[in-house]
Amino acid sequence: MSTIVSLPDQSTATLPKRSYLNAEHGLLSWLLTGDHKRIAMLYLVSITFFFFLGGFFAGMIRLELLTPVGDLMAADTYNKMFTMHGIVMVFLFLVPSVPATLGNFLIPIMIGAKDLAFPKINLLSWYLYMIGGTFVLASLVLGGVDTGWTFTTPLSTHYLNTHVITTATAIFIAGFSSIFTGLNFIVTIHRMRAPGMTWFRLPLFVWSNYAASIMMVLGTPVLAIAITLVALERTIGIGVFDPAKGGDPLLFQHLFWFYSHPAVYIMILPGFGVISEVISTFSRKRVFGYTAVAFSSVAIALFGFFVWAHHMFIMGVSNYSALVFSLLTMLVAVPSAIKIFNWSFTLQKGSITFETPMLYAFGFIGLFTIGGLTGVFLGSLGMDIHLTETYFIVAHFHFVMVGGMLMAFLSGVHFWWPKMTGRMYPESISKLAAVTTFIGFILTFFPQFVVGYLGMPRRYHAYPAEFQVLNVLSTAGATVLGVGYLLPLLYLGWSLKYGAIAGNNPWQATGLEWQIQSPPLTENFLETPVVEWEAYDYEWLAKKQQAELSHV
Amino acid sequence: MSVSSTFSEITHPPAPEIHASHDVHDHPFYQRHHFETAEQQREAAGFGMWLFLLTEIMFFGGLFMAYLLYRNWYYDAFVAASNSISVPMGLTNTIVLITSSLTMAMGVWAAEVKNKKLLQIFLLATVVLGFAFLGIKTGEYYDKFAEHHVPGASFSIADFVNPPAGSKEKPLPMDMAKKTEVYFSLYFAMTGVHALHMIIGIAILIVLLWKSNSGVYTSGYVQPIENFGLYWHFVDIVWIFLFPFLYLINRH
Ligand code: HEM
Ligand SMILES: [Cu+2]
């Protein structure tokens, strides 16, 4: 395999004397920082914690499903397990993952700014996230919730005596964290771009986070109000969703999915951005159809708001509106497909190398495509009625969210790790991890398509014995997948101390972030840069390197 | 300035004592280091505030959606229930709020013309009007409580099935009368969330009032006052929608 990593001469290379990491010392200097890069690191640590917590619940679920009889835990405990798994993974991992960590770190640098527009609000976002997370942990310690992550009424308002309020509070607070992050990004991208950094010179990573931010800002408040009403209904007995008082549980569904469908794109769009950067860098090409890819992100952000009711086909929406929503759902598939085609064309004409981030990106394209295509099945009314509430759904959203987003997240973490820490990770083991994750993933979730198609319902801790073989396969796969996720934790941690010095631009990429030192200075740029080249302009990069060589 | 020279400088970081960003000392005291100009900072803050208000619109939007939907379904119940709410109190409150919007706008103007005394007077007036609003609101809530019109266990539909003697109301059939509870649920949710916004607003006003003592807001740094003004006007506008929806709906 050819490679383009250009490490500085090892014998003399050292980390830069001054960087954001050593600008100040002590725990307080981190907890009170306004530096977007440090806040990104705070997020990275806390998000990783919650990911593994959610992973623990996933493990318990899979362990229970090893046998057809519910022998490991009671149905009630099982319900709490998958509820906590869903809540932690969706609200505390997927939604903030790429924006809060990579986005926070990179967006200001990529557009040539010294920081986000509102550093204090950025820090506040992290605290809100942590407080939200604490409430989730509290509800767990107090005895758990078993509504499922969707808080469906009237189940959540009337029939369960569990900690719905604590969890609702958690989600309300964490929601504000994501509103403020989105708001900060939008203002920063509009107002803080360096001279010459026009909209169509923005890296696609910035575009996709911009689109996701629009959805965070518009969608999250609707979730907040839905959750508030649930809490009010439980506590003081107002009757907005309560059929006994004339309220309508369907209204909750509308409000909830008005957020939660776009939320799927809040989760996946920033991942698209990562993939565009990685694909372009490792095929040395401008992304084919740059403008189409940029606009398709915005299109997804807007269309995403018109398809929520496809989650409600079996919940009693009228046939007519079901038809309309089914059609609209097919339409949102178009911008996603545009992206897949454009990445493929980029690859086709490029000179490709297979570094670790690229391996993850390939994994992303494969898995996300399968997830997306099965989504089209589900968008068609007839199929949906057969497949909904079976393991087919579980497989579908794991292909999209875990196969898609998590692969993209890992791709991005590996891609920018040298920039964030100044050090490289060991290459062969990181490639091994990428491959392990891919194999483990397929083994875990492919059998779930089959078992779902055959009719195994989700959310039960026991199932007919004929499904056992497929479930055993799935649990075995989950074990492999778990190893695939643990490996990066270990070797990335190791690299912090022992990794080779990365230098400014190990991948020979063109973005502004690669033109400054690794790890960056607190102020990113000493002088505001003037941007005179297009995004992904590899010829410009070659010329610049020539000029620097003739200088010395 | 050429890009490559900028970058090669950065590649070899200069000694820590050089702080390029602080070389220039001609920015106003309130300009944060990561902004190029005070103008850029002001624009960013204003834009951020507008976006925040957009999220507020979406937040209240969910409630208004619910309201319109149910009003359509349970029209008679909504009419009867809204007739039980005191229009004079609502109207007084509307006037109080519009006046407070005016005093707030005058406050922003006073900050712009750098008149500290006037600024403080107008902020104080806004605080007082805000409290007046909340006081009247509390009175209304108390009336609802006394009439058993607060949703929950002690909610009673008696007034709607058998209107009190001398009232112009038509009696409602039992099942429609029950739906008045949905109306009151929305009434309390919407006015409650609105009142919460007022309480937060008053708290911020008091902080601004206290900080304005030092003269920061009357020396060119208007933006916090300006942004707060936007917030306050927004809360007023929400009320301008709530008042006709909740109080005036189809009066006879
Ligand atoms: C980013 C990672 C993940 C996310 C976001 C995620 C999300 C979810 C969500 C939202 C549910 C639905 C819970 C419900 O039905 O209410 C779910 C269910 C489930 N997840 Fe995950 N998951 C992730 C990773 C995993 C992994 C790594 C595994 C297995 C190794 C796994 C196994 C399961 C299983 C078996 C269920 C089914 C629970 C049921 O419906 O009975 N998940 N997951
Ligand atoms: Cu959806």
Side-chain angles (χ1 to χ4, degrees), chain A residues 261 264 310-311:
Chain A
H261 180 81
V264 176
H310 63 208
H311 295 270

Side-chain angles (χ1 to χ4, degrees), chain A residues 257 260-262 264-265 304 307-311 329:
Chain A
W257 287 112
S260 292
H261 180 81
V264 176
Y265 295 102
V307 300
W308 72 90
H310 63 208
H311 295 270
T329 303

Side-chain angles (χ1 to χ4, degrees), chain A residues 428-448:
Chain A
S428 40
I429 185 162
S430 64
K431 287 183 174 160
L432 179 72
V435 175
T436 312
T437 312
F438 187 80
I439 296 175
F441 183 88
I442 296 277
L443 199 57
T444 312
F445 293 104
F446 202 80
Q448 295 187 8

Side-chain angles (χ1 to χ4, degrees), chain A residues 51 58-59 61-62 65 78 82-83 85-86 89-90 93-94 148-149 391 394 397-398 401-402 406 444-445 448 458-460 478 481 485:
Chain A
F51 173 70
I61 295 173
R62 282 307 338 158
L65 294 177
Y78 181 81
F82 75 67
T83 301
H85 169 66
M89 285 303 195
V90 169
F93 176 72
L94 283 175
W149 74 279
Y391 262 81
V394 178
F397 71 63
H398 282 82
M401 306 278 70
V402 188
L406 205 68
T444 312
F445 293 104
Q448 295 187 8
R458 65 194 278 207
R459 294 181 175 152
Y460 287 92
L481 190 56
Y485 290 148

Side-chain angles (χ1 to χ4, degrees), chain A residues 52-83:
Chain A
F52 282 98
L53 180 72
F56 166 77
F57 294 121
M60 297 305 281
I61 295 173
R62 282 307 338 158
L63 219 53
E64 165 67 76
L65 294 177
L66 207 49
T67 57
V69 286
D71 44 6
L72 183 64
M73 51 187 118
D76 174 52
T77 319
Y78 181 81
N79 293 347
K80 288 178 181 170
M81 285 291 159
F82 75 67
T83 301

